[in-house]
């Protein structure tokens, strides 16, 4: 029953008060506070999932804004964060862990990844490099969201064409093993990566303009993005984790 309540709530996006009618039809005259207490009880078991995730060699991470009503010590308009931690797409056993934190601080990031010694794929938020793990890998798609509209606006299409080539090549190697994909990336993508960085460096843009900020962000992530050539197990984009965040946002709107 507990598994069903949590599944309905967080996977199918059915709030507890909407589940009540179903339970009443089955003859269980339960109230919403009882279901909420069961969910709280179930979270204790999720700590085991978190500990197992931290033992994986590769993880993906992201975070999104959440608002909590009547949160002690915070204004109603204040923003909190839901951190998302999940296995990579090539992992045989998929798992996603959502962790609430009251802020977006280095302390929250360090507590979430405490004990993790593997490779993390994430965006360029400043707290991630300060977390103690083996390595951090970037994401090409994150920069694409920042810069693609501005580049199209200015007809600066060369970087976009290079990105299209990178993603087109990568798509061919989805079914390959991690080691085979690493070899393919170094053979075919390394020259494209170099062309991409050269194309960005020659883009004319004011530093404080939207395009200038997007280019600066990309160049600031150059080292982390280039590490995609080293780790064939990790996709060149963090879209799998982004989709996990998207499902959380959709479920939040259902409540």
């Amino acid at each position: 029953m507990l598994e069903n309540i949590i599944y309905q709530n967080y996977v199918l996006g059915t709030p507890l008060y909407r589940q009540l009618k179903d339970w009443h039809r089955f003859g269980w005259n339960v109230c919403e506070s009882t279901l909420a207490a069961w969910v709280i009880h179930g979270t204790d078991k999720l700590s085991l999932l978190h500990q197992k995730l931290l033992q994986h060699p590769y993880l993906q991470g992201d975070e999104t804004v959440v608002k909590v009503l009547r949160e002690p010590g915070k204004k109603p308009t204040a923003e909190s964060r839901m951190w998302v931690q999940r296995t990579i797409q090539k992992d045989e056993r998929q798992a996603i862990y959502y962790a609430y934190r009251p802020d977006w601080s280095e302390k929250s990031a360090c507590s979430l990844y405490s004990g993790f010694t593997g490779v993390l794929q994430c965006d360029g938020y400043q707290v991630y490099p300060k977390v103690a793990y083996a390595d951090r890998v970037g994401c090409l798609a994150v920069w694409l969201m920042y810069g693609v509209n501005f580049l199209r606006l200015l007809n600066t299409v060369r970087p976009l064409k290079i990105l299209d080539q990178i993603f087109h090549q990568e798509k061919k190697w989805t079914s390959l093993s991690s080691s085979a994909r690493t070899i393919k990336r170094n053979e075919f993508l390394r020259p494209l990566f170099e062309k991409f960085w050269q194309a960005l460096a020659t883009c004319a843009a004011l530093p404080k303009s939207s395009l200038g900020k997007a280019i600066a962000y990309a160049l600031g992530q150059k080292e982390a993005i280039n590490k995609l050539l080293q780790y064939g197990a990790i996709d060149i984009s963090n879209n799998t984790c982004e989709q996990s965040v998207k499902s959380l946002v959709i479920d939040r709107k259902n409540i």
Side-chain angles (χ1 to χ4, degrees):
M1 290 176 68
L2 174 59
E3 183 182 89
N4 183 273
I5 291 169
I6 293 177
Y7 175 77
Q8 291 283 339
N9 194 21
Y10 295 105
V11 178
L12 300 184
T14 307
L16 297 179
Y17 71 87
R18 293 185 187 174
Q19 295 185 39
L20 289 178
K21 292 182 179 179
D22 283 337
W23 291 117
H24 293 167
R25 290 190 190 100
F26 285 116
W28 185 27
N29 192 26
V30 67
C31 62
E32 185 178 357
S33 59
T34 299
L35 295 185
W38 279 40
V39 170
I40 293 172
H41 174 70
T43 58
D44 295 336
K45 301 181 183 299
L46 292 179
S47 61
L48 298 176
L49 170 65
H50 186 210
Q51 292 304 314
K52 288 188 175 295
L53 270 176
L54 295 176
Q55 297 172 14
H56 283 242
Y58 305 103
L59 288 180
Q60 292 178 316
D62 203 357
E63 65 289 321
T64 187
V65 174
V66 294
K67 290 188 177 181
V68 181
L69 299 178
R70 297 186 295 276
E71 188 172 15
K74 298 186 72 172
K75 297 180 180 179
T77 55
E79 295 180 346
S80 299
R81 290 294 188 278
M82 186 69 76
W83 296 70
V84 182
Q85 189 180 81
R86 65 156 297 139
T87 52
I88 59 173
Q89 199 165 7
K90 275 190 170 293
D91 204 302
E92 292 182 0
R93 300 188 68 180
Q94 297 290 304
I96 308 171
Y97 183 74
Y98 296 93
Y100 168 78
R101 295 291 186 273
D103 54 36
W104 208 6
S105 67
E106 178 184 342
K107 180 180 179 181
S108 293
C110 290
S111 67
L112 181 62
Y113 288 96
S114 177
F116 177 58
T117 58
V119 179
L120 176 68
Q121 184 178 37
C122 57
D123 59 27
Y125 181 53
Q126 59 186 2
V127 303
Y128 283 117
K130 299 176 182 178
V131 178
Y133 39 65
D135 211 348
R136 184 178 72 88
V137 176
C139 165
L140 275 176
V142 169
W143 178 82
L144 199 60
M145 290 186 293
Y146 277 95
V148 65
N149 292 328
F150 306 117
L151 289 173
R152 283 177 177 162
L153 181 65
L154 296 180
N155 295 320
T156 311
V157 295
R158 187 164 175 248
L160 293 181
K161 287 182 178 179
I162 297 172
L163 279 179
D164 285 342
Q165 293 175 33
I166 291 173
F167 279 97
H168 177 72
Q169 291 288 347
E170 181 70 16
K171 192 175 182 180
K172 299 177 183 178
W173 311 323
T174 304
S175 60
L176 296 182
S177 66
S178 300
S179 57
R181 192 154 68 163
T182 300
I183 294 173
K184 290 289 186 180
R185 284 181 182 175
N186 279 278
E187 182 179 356
F188 295 100
L189 295 191
R190 185 176 291 277
L192 291 174
F193 271 45
E194 292 175 358
K195 290 181 180 179
F196 175 70
W197 297 122
Q198 290 173 3
L200 277 187
T202 56
C203 284
L206 295 174
K208 294 185 179 180
S209 66
S210 298
L211 177 59
K213 290 178 181 178
I215 292 174
Y217 174 84
L219 294 176
Q221 296 303 304
K222 181 178 179 179
E223 181 180 354
I225 291 176
N226 280 344
K227 287 180 181 178
L228 290 167
L229 300 172
Q230 302 176 26
Y231 300 107
I234 300 178
D235 293 337
I236 60 173
S237 75
N238 201 21
N239 284 344
T240 306
C241 197
E242 294 281 348
Q243 290 167 3
S244 301
V245 173
K246 184 178 180 180
S247 65
L248 173 70
V249 173
I250 293 174
D251 292 346
R252 185 178 60 201
K253 292 180 179 179
N254 288 338
I255 298 177

